[in-house]
Amino acid sequence: MSNSDTWIPKWGDIPAAIGLLSRLPISVDMHKAQARGAHPSWAYGLAGALFGALAALAGWAGLVMGLPSLATGLLVVGTTAWITGAMHHDGLADSLDGLWGGWSLEQRLDIMKDSHIGVYGVVGLICVIGLQATLYGHLAAQSLWPILGVMALSRAIMVPIMAALPNARSQGLSASVGRPTRKTAILAVALGGTIAVFSGAWPALIGAPLGGLAVAAIAKRKIGGQTGDILGASQQCAETCALIGLVALL
């Protein structure tokens, strides 16, 4: 297969995407996955749909137990954080601390690498988790299916950001994965969008891109590109904005 054809999807890309974005016990051929670089990112939306299905199951349990809507929403958010190892939440906190706590490019990147969390990260996580839990609780009372679409599309949104923005640093998760091709990015968004539509989460097609692009624009201006933390932040903002649009329009 020529280099120009390496973007073509393979079945092995699906477990690779799930393994990268979560802590689920998925068997992955690491040698083949590393050789594929960023090409398995076309399956990020499929991985997100799986996470959404598990989170929706937790939401269903909350409804069966008759829990208040906020408690049900927290079950959804908490389940997702557990499945993913809270990697996107960590990226959001680090991005907030670095982008707004540093005065220079180098300082911002250094802060984002620091394992400690600052006030921007704490406040940001409280606001985002609280907002998501409230909206998921409201959504779950009407239908659990859109949760799959929200989580699928918000992860698919990371792929065009990876493709469009250069790596802000030469090391780290994003740099090690590499940058996907334009075709890979288009396929990722198409799959994520299709899942959103068929799950009844079509308003997410408006909110998710706006949230992800807002983070990408800020990152481009402040650090000149993207990092793994920025991608995590873009996923969280895309998810939150998708939920806002979903609850507001449905």
Side-chain angles (χ1 to χ4, degrees):
M1 181 179 292
S2 66
N3 291 334
S4 62
D5 292 332
T6 55
W7 74 274
I8 296 177
K10 294 185 176 182
W11 285 112
D13 292 341
I14 299 176
I18 295 172
L20 179 65
L21 298 181
S22 76
R23 291 186 175 180
L24 294 176
I26 300 295
S27 178
V28 180
D29 187 324
M30 294 305 299
H31 178 72
K32 290 183 178 180
Q34 291 174 355
R36 292 280 290 163
H39 298 303
S41 60
W42 68 267
Y44 281 7
L46 298 179
L50 172 61
F51 307 156
L54 296 173
L57 185 61
W60 173 81
L63 293 175
V64 170
M65 291 185 288
L67 297 180
S69 62
L70 180 58
T72 299
L74 284 170
L75 282 177
V76 173
V77 175
T79 299
T80 308
W82 173 68
I83 292 171
T84 63
M87 64 184 303
H88 301 313
H89 298 87
D90 179 70
L92 174 64
D94 287 344
S95 295
L96 289 170
D97 284 336
L99 295 178
W100 274 272
W103 294 98
S104 66
L105 170 62
E106 293 76 15
Q107 190 178 26
R108 288 165 184 155
L109 290 174
D110 286 341
I111 292 174
M112 290 168 69
K113 284 197 307 180
D114 195 332
S115 60
H116 297 88
I117 186 170
V119 65
Y120 287 111
V122 170
V123 173
L125 283 177
I126 291 174
C127 292
V128 167
I129 291 175
L131 185 54
Q132 287 182 358
T134 302
L135 295 172
Y136 273 126
H138 178 81
L139 182 62
Q142 302 178 53
S143 175
L144 292 167
W145 287 108
I147 295 176
L148 280 68
V150 169
M151 295 198 180
L153 184 58
S154 63
R155 282 161 179 82
I157 289 296
M158 294 191 292
V159 187
I161 295 175
M162 293 168 63
L165 295 184
N167 292 305
R169 61 165 64 99
S170 59
Q171 298 178 338
L173 179 61
S174 179
S176 65
V177 171
R179 296 175 64 185
T181 64
R182 179 180 298 180
K183 293 179 179 178
T184 299
I186 292 173
L187 177 58
V189 173
L191 281 174
T194 299
I195 295 171
V197 170
F198 279 94
S199 66
W202 63 265
L205 296 173
I206 301 172
L210 290 176
L213 290 175
V215 174
I218 294 170
K220 175 65 175 178
R221 182 170 63 87
K222 286 183 172 285
I223 60 174
Q226 49 89 5
T227 66
D229 287 330
I230 293 298
L231 295 177
S234 68
Q235 186 280 321
Q236 282 294 292
C237 286
E239 182 176 349
T240 304
C241 291
L243 283 169
I244 291 173
L246 193 57
V247 172
L249 295 176
L250 288 183

